[in-house]
Amino acid sequence: MPHELINIQVGQCGNQIGNAYWRTLLKEYSHFNEQSGSQTQYTDEMSSLFYLPQSQTRDFSFEKMRARAVLVDTEEGVVNQTLKGSLSSLFEPAQIVASNSGAGNNWAEGFHRYGPEISDQVIEATRIQLECCDSPQGFFFLHSLGGGTGSGLGSYLLQDIRDEYPKITRLTMSVFPSRESDVVTSPYNATFATSKLIEHADCSFCFDNEALKNRVTADEAIAKRQPDKMISSAAPISPLTKSINEREKRPFKHMNGLVVRCLSSLTSGMRFGGELNVDLGEISTNLVPYKDLHFILPSFQFVPDRRLNASIQSTFFDSTSYLYDCQPSRECFLASSLFFRGNFSIFDINTHLSSIQKKISIPYWNENVFKLGLTNFTGFKSSDYHKRSVLGLFNNTAVCQRFDQCINDFNRLYKRKACVYLYENAGMDTHDFENMRYSVERVSETYREMKVRAQGHESEEIKIARARFKPLRR
Amino acid sequence: MSVVSVQIGQYGNQLGSLFLQNHFCNENTENSIYFRKTKAGKWVSRGILLDTEPKPIETAVKVARKTGFNYPAIVRRFGGSSNNWALGYNCDAEFLHDTIDVLRKQCEKCNSIESLLFFASLAGGTGSGLGSHLVEEICDIWTCPIVVQSILPFASGEIATQSLNTILTFNSLFECADAVILADNGLASDLARRIHRVELPTYSDLNTVICSGINRSLALRRSTSSLIQCTTHAHKFFHEFHVPHLAQKALQFDSSTWNGLSSQVERMVVSGTKNPFVIPRNYDQVSVFGNFCVGYGQGSENIGETLKGIHNTRSIMSEYSWGTEKSISCCSSSSSTLIPLKRQLDVAESMFLNSAYLHHYYSHGLCEEIFNSAFCNIEYLLGLYDL
């Protein structure tokens, strides 16, 4: 299947999420191959994310496949772990670009120092990947916004790849830092990285460490109360018997599992068959009404039998289903899309959605508001509870709530010029600080304006403008 | 007299292949309209398949092979159209030239071509964008009549850009197509639930419902040319229905008479409803611009007489009985045909005036002028249909 996706994992968070993603994909595909009874391990379905290197065209086993990915980091820790672990056969040395000194949680180090140094190698690695593709659909950037490498180097690479390959869609899965993050400079890093995302990304899926942590805790609490339901919000195959202490000590593993689940549901429409297939281009066309407002909030729920209505409602309105820290219910949904995995009927879904349409606030000009995707294959061996799931992707004005918080934290630090010398040493000056803050403020302001405008009705000027289309009556 | 079918995009390939499948099972003569025999003695379709994604074509070919025929002419590119009319329209020129070459070869293998039959959707990217460009090119270079079968999306919305895509496609079809048969997803799902008693209809159920009508209208030798004779310069948009519309199990128990059927048809045409089970409250006189009926069954000569009362009717009779003992299938162009379009136009105008989603179109070569002229043309068209 020729829609190929190239993953670019930048920084510690990006690489960890990426590794969890590849593991999950391998399990999914092996389960799928079992079900569909295919003889070989590398099947056509996998060609959008894996490929066989030239010399190995006869051998269709998992060991000979390579992932379509480029791994970038400024420290060797995570990348070395990957190379030693079970995924080592998926990556060739040309796909890995690593340096050794780290970026010190400093956006400017990542952007101004490592950017120019490493970017040639990364562009070379992506070029090799693109040569193995028939028709590339897009680039997926996995990174966090609070650190140094993921945010700084990630932004530089985004810019570079846009210059090099302007026609290929760039999608990012960006993880915002939580407010109680132990990294002092995270508001600076997040603001600078967001301003670059506004400029260079086609579509950004926003996650938030705070919301992910809350979701893991909430799911655990439900699991304690109802252990028979096998609810594990974490990495899909982790058994419930792991102790609670371990989850508290290493929550990132389970948080990454949530992000991976979203990523897998998003791409499942392209990878597996179903009634309504949705590819990346369609996602970005339907969810992005205005060029700057391309920040999408993911929300995920499992759908037990006969609970379709409740699940859809909670996907839209419950702030606990969202993997981004916000209060969506009183905000305006500029565009929404739902991706269903499992056995659903289009008619059922349409009925529930028409009742939701009356409750949510949508702009009057976007009545055709829901984009749907249906895939049959769920993804992993699991209990009845996990058989069906829905992923909601919403372009909701609530995204600006977090941006505003970020700007407030930024201002609090910047007023005292705290830590500014670190950025100035790496090559930035106060103009950069202020320009980038301004661009984030501007987008936040535009979202708020959209909310207000959308709640109103068609204005007089628009009514008059409509009349000029009418033919002159004789 | 043969008809070359062109199936474009996901909807086009799904519906087109179902159409040809039904046709193949019901009619198998040497001089078939939609099929021909190769030198090796195998049946192949006279038409072509066209898409920018691999899956719909693969499914169509698989299904056709099971039924017993094959598709010799397939043109495909990869990349998809992302529900973007501009992307479908401005595909590379080489793709279009390849398609026209392949189409020309298929046409040369026919003795005499009655018309070209396109299957394409209105709201997607490939069917609408690529479909409109192809129709425009062919209209310029050949004099062959073009009949297009399209589908209007659900009113509650399947795709965000569906209204803009629909308006732009209608603009092209208005200028270049000779006749357009419209189907409606919302209506088909209504029929599927009420008559076929499918609680939760899937897309393949909807396709079956739509196909059952279109198969009957276009099965006979002179169907498309008679259809085109019913059109005038602007009144070329038809919606189709057939009576009696029954569930599979009830077919053998049907006992309608010609009088009953033709009065049902008359009622539906004159009142403008498409659902045979809805009794219209007020008989608002809709203006009927053209009407084409096909009667199947013994003694079908009479319906020509009864329906002459409706303006501009052509009818063909056939002794063959399709499913039930007697049935009538009708394509009618009246002022109620374009009511769904009016709604799409309203939504599209709101979107355009609020500049929503336009950057997707502008980045692939469209400009404001094209939208403006499309809106003006469609308003003019709706005026001609008394809306």
Side-chain angles (χ1 to χ4, degrees):
Chain A
M1 234 166 278
H3 289 177
E4 287 99 2
L5 290 179
I6 300 179
N7 270 46
I8 302 183
Q9 310 170 187
V10 190
Q12 186 187 21
C13 171
N15 279 299
Q16 284 178 343
I17 294 182
N19 295 342
Y21 179 51
W22 295 116
R23 267 186 228 116
T24 312
L25 283 181
L26 286 177
K27 294 205 165 87
E28 267 190 23
Y29 278 124
S30 74
H31 185 210
F32 181 74
N33 289 342
E34 258 177 49
Q35 255 190 9
S36 62
S38 75
Q39 303 297 336
T40 60
Q41 283 190 317
Y42 174 76
T43 52
D44 221 15
E45 265 87 13
M46 305 176 77
S47 68
S48 46
L49 290 159
F50 298 94
Y51 68 101
L52 287 175
Q54 295 295 8
S55 50
Q56 314 283 358
T57 36
R58 291 293 167 119
D59 191 340
F60 291 100
S61 65
F62 276 172
E63 284 86 47
K64 302 297 181 191
M65 289 187 321
R66 300 280 183 268
R68 295 190 197 274
V70 177
L71 281 65
V72 184
D73 204 351
T74 50
E75 289 173 324
E76 289 186 333
V78 185
V79 170
N80 281 342
Q81 250 184 2
T82 321
L83 287 178
K84 287 186 199 145
S86 54
L87 298 174
S88 54
S89 61
L90 279 183
F91 304 110
E92 281 180 355
Q95 292 174 257
I96 302 183
V97 180
S99 180
N100 16 38
S101 17
N105 283 328
N106 185 337
W107 186 90
E109 284 271 315
F111 191 89
H112 289 287
R113 192 178 129 203
Y114 282 103
E117 265 179 37
I118 300 192
S119 87
D120 285 334
Q121 295 177 40
V122 177
I123 298 284
E124 183 62 28
T126 45
R127 191 185 59 78
I128 297 177
Q129 289 298 310
L130 282 174
E131 281 172 5
C132 302
C133 296
D134 278 330
S135 99
Q137 269 268 288
F139 290 111
F140 249 116
F141 280 82
L142 298 170
H143 62 151
S144 71
L145 301 187
T149 315
S151 58
L153 183 55
S155 318
Y156 192 88
L157 291 176
L158 191 59
Q159 196 175 308
D160 246 8
I161 287 199
R162 184 196 187 174
D163 288 334
E164 190 78 19
Y165 310 109
K167 297 226 164 141
I168 303 183
T169 328
R170 291 162 302 282
L171 298 133
T172 68
M173 309 286 273
S174 317
V175 183
F176 278 76
S178 64
R179 293 196 81 186
E180 294 114 30
S181 154
D182 48 1
V183 174
V184 175
T185 50
S186 62
Y188 286 145
N189 296 335
T191 311
F192 297 148
T194 313
S195 73
K196 292 296 175 190
L197 283 181
I198 293 172
E199 230 182 292
H200 300 297
D202 285 322
C203 199
S204 288
F205 300 98
C206 305
F207 296 89
D208 186 335
N209 267 340
E210 189 75 38
L212 290 172
K213 224 185 324 185
N214 289 342
R215 181 66 182 269
V216 169
T217 337
D219 280 352
E220 232 170 83
I222 301 180
K224 265 200 268 190
R225 288 201 305 263
Q226 295 165 316
D228 56 326
K229 279 214 173 152
M230 273 282 284
I231 302 167
S232 93
S233 70
I237 319 291
S238 75
L240 203 54
T241 47
K242 279 227 171 101
S243 67
I244 306 293
N245 283 336
E246 184 171 323
R247 283 191 204 219
E248 279 172 2
K249 277 189 223 157
R250 291 196 290 167
F252 285 113
K253 183 171 168 199
H254 303 285
M255 288 154 63
N256 290 347
L258 282 173
V259 178
V260 163
R261 184 159 299 175
C262 285
L263 196 49
S264 143
S265 291
L266 227 186
T267 52
S268 65
M270 290 186 315
R271 298 182 286 124
F272 301 114
E275 279 195 2
L276 274 184
N277 293 318
V278 179
D279 65 11
L280 279 187
E282 290 180 27
I283 294 178
S284 103
T285 310
N286 283 291
L287 285 178
V288 183
Y290 296 98
K291 199 157 188 315
D292 280 340
L293 307 184
H294 58 241
F295 293 91
I296 313 289
L297 307 184
S299 157
F300 186 83
Q301 277 288 343
F302 284 110
V303 182
D305 279 332
R306 277 178 273 142
R307 292 288 196 87
L308 182 59
N309 201 5
S311 307
I312 295 185
Q313 299 263 6
S314 86
T315 314
F316 270 90
F317 300 120
D318 249 344
S319 55
T320 46
S321 333
Y322 280 75
L323 299 177
Y324 182 81
D325 193 19
C326 64
Q327 304 292 329
S329 41
R330 265 178 254 133
E331 304 278 345
C332 175
F333 286 81
L334 293 176
S336 341
S337 66
L338 291 166
F339 295 90
F340 293 89
R341 284 183 97 168
N343 209 357
F344 289 94
S345 146
I346 182 83
F347 183 74
D348 217 2
I349 296 172
N350 270 333
T351 337
H352 294 305
L353 286 180
S354 53
S355 67
I356 289 212
Q357 202 166 343
K358 299 182 194 129
K359 291 192 210 167
I360 58 178
S361 153
I362 51 177
Y364 69 86
W365 42 258
N366 199 1
E367 293 180 14
N368 312 321
V369 108
F370 304 113
K371 170 74 180 163
L372 299 176
L374 279 177
T375 316
N376 290 332
F377 182 66
T378 324
F380 36 92
K381 302 184 210 193
S382 48
S383 64
D384 281 340
Y385 190 76
H386 290 177
K387 227 175 12 187
R388 313 193 299 169
S389 66
V390 57
L391 168 72
L393 293 176
F394 305 113
N395 192 341
N396 188 327
T397 51
V399 86
C400 65
Q401 289 168 0
R402 188 70 184 85
F403 285 5
D404 290 338
Q405 283 173 354
C406 224
I407 301 273
N408 283 341
D409 294 337
F410 179 106
N411 285 334
R412 225 180 308 143
L413 288 175
Y414 191 59
K415 230 178 359 182
R416 305 270 180 250
K417 297 285 190 292
C419 303
V420 169
Y421 75 98
L422 290 166
Y423 292 81
E424 285 179 343
N425 283 349
M428 287 177 62
D429 62 14
T430 45
H431 285 302
D432 291 331
F433 273 76
E434 287 172 9
N435 289 342
M436 292 200 243
R437 177 183 61 184
Y438 174 67
S439 63
V440 179
E441 278 175 346
R442 189 177 50 87
V443 165
S444 198
E445 185 59 44
T446 319
Y447 267 111
R448 276 194 290 269
E449 231 182 74
M450 287 299 321
K451 175 181 168 190
V452 169
R453 233 195 315 159
Q455 281 167 351
H457 296 288
E458 203 171 64
S459 65
E460 282 308 314
E461 298 120 19
I462 296 203
K463 284 199 180 122
I464 296 174
R466 229 188 238 269
R468 72 175 182 208
F469 293 134
K470 305 240 184 267
L472 297 168
R473 300 272 172 211
R474 275 185 234 119
Chain B
M1 295 288 269
S2 22
V3 172
V4 175
S5 59
V6 181
Q7 303 172 205
I8 313 180
Q10 188 182 20
Y11 167 77
N13 282 304
Q14 282 178 351
L15 197 89
S17 70
L18 189 58
F19 176 83
L20 289 178
Q21 229 187 314
N22 288 343
H23 206 76
F24 190 73
C25 298
N26 276 305
E27 190 207 49
N28 223 338
T29 63
E30 199 58 45
N31 291 324
S32 167
I33 314 176
Y34 298 100
F35 299 95
R36 66 182 159 83
K37 239 184 177 167
T38 56
K39 287 187 195 141
K42 303 249 168 70
W43 285 104
V44 293
S45 149
R46 290 189 198 270
I48 74 174
L49 300 182
L50 190 57
D51 204 354
T52 49
E53 279 172 16
K55 274 194 227 146
I57 293 191
E58 281 168 10
T59 334
V61 170
K62 234 192 291 186
V63 159
R65 287 221 181 107
K66 261 194 231 167
T67 325
F69 64 96
N70 204 356
Y71 289 105
I74 302 179
V75 188
R76 62 179 122 182
R77 282 294 180 275
F78 300 123
S81 287
S82 327
N83 294 154
N84 189 340
W85 191 89
L87 194 48
Y89 193 88
N90 291 323
C91 57
D92 36 78
E94 204 191 297
F95 186 21
L96 215 55
H97 287 166
D98 282 345
T99 313
I100 294 185
D101 265 336
V102 170
L103 194 54
R104 187 202 317 269
K105 283 200 198 118
Q106 288 290 90
C107 289
E108 282 167 4
K109 294 189 180 146
C110 305
N111 271 335
S112 73
I113 300 188
E114 198 184 322
S115 69
L116 294 171
L117 178 59
F118 281 73
F119 291 99
S121 70
L122 291 173
T126 315
S128 59
L130 181 58
S132 343
H133 203 173
L134 195 58
V135 167
E136 286 177 10
E137 288 283 314
I138 292 182
C139 182
D140 280 339
I141 55 181
W142 293 339
T143 55
C144 198
I146 298 176
V147 178
V148 179
Q149 199 285 311
S150 276
I151 182 144
L152 289 159
F154 276 111
S156 60
E158 293 166 31
I159 299 171
T161 47
Q162 66 184 35
S163 334
L164 293 169
N165 291 344
T166 310
I167 297 300
L168 291 167
T169 318
F170 253 96
N171 191 21
S172 303
L173 293 182
F174 178 33
E175 287 170 32
C176 303
D178 290 290
V180 180
I181 306 179
L182 294 173
D184 192 343
N185 252 343
L187 185 74
S189 96
D190 204 28
L191 286 174
R193 280 172 53 237
R194 281 195 218 198
I195 298 168
H196 298 268
R197 298 266 184 253
V198 179
E199 284 262 345
L200 304 169
T202 57
Y203 274 111
S204 49
D205 294 323
L206 301 185
N207 285 348
T208 320
V209 169
I210 295 170
C211 230
S212 59
I214 299 176
N215 266 123
R216 291 182 167 88
S217 310
L218 298 180
L220 298 180
R221 198 162 289 281
R222 284 157 289 130
S223 309
T224 40
S225 39
S226 309
L227 183 67
I228 294 174
Q229 282 176 344
C230 298
T231 63
T232 63
H233 144 72
H235 301 125
K236 50 173 98 160
F237 296 95
F238 295 85
H239 66 246
E240 60 76 36
F241 49 87
H242 67 101
V243 290
H245 195 117
L246 296 170
Q248 201 57 28
K249 304 175 209 164
L251 280 179
Q252 41 178 322
F253 300 111
D254 177 52
S255 61
S256 346
T257 59
W258 283 120
N259 278 336
L261 287 178
S262 34
S263 63
Q264 258 190 333
V265 168
E266 197 178 323
R267 205 170 6 144
M268 285 164 75
V269 167
V270 165
S271 65
T273 56
K274 296 186 229 177
N275 185 342
F277 291 87
V278 168
I279 301 176
R281 294 275 168 79
N282 11 319
Y283 262 74
D284 295 313
Q285 269 308 48
V286 265
S287 349
V288 179
F289 303 113
N291 201 22
F292 166 64
C293 293
V294 186
Y296 291 97
Q298 306 283 342
S300 48
E301 306 88 38
N302 305 331
I303 62 164
E305 300 299 315
T306 16
L307 293 175
K308 276 239 163 49
I310 308 176
H311 167 67
N312 199 6
T313 305
R314 298 258 185 286
S315 50
I316 308 182
M317 320 313 159
S318 158
E319 295 283 310
Y320 178 76
S321 74
W322 194 310
T324 55
E325 224 179 82
K326 308 179 177 68
S327 59
I328 304 181
S329 145
C330 187
C331 285
S332 132
S333 164
S334 65
S335 46
S336 64
T337 314
L338 291 187
I339 289 179
L341 180 62
K342 191 167 175 32
R343 187 154 185 275
Q344 299 286 347
L345 181 67
D346 280 338
V347 178
E349 279 178 358
S350 303
M351 283 183 143
F352 176 68
L353 294 170
N354 280 291
S355 316
Y357 295 99
L358 294 182
H359 65 101
H360 294 293
Y361 293 87
Y362 293 161
S363 64
H364 287 284
L366 246 54
C367 63
E368 216 181 286
E369 256 322 298
I370 299 187
F371 281 103
N372 279 331
S373 68
F375 289 132
C376 291
N377 286 342
I378 302 291
E379 289 273 4
Y380 171 63
L381 172 66
L382 288 176
L384 292 175
Y385 269 78
D386 295 341
L387 281 175

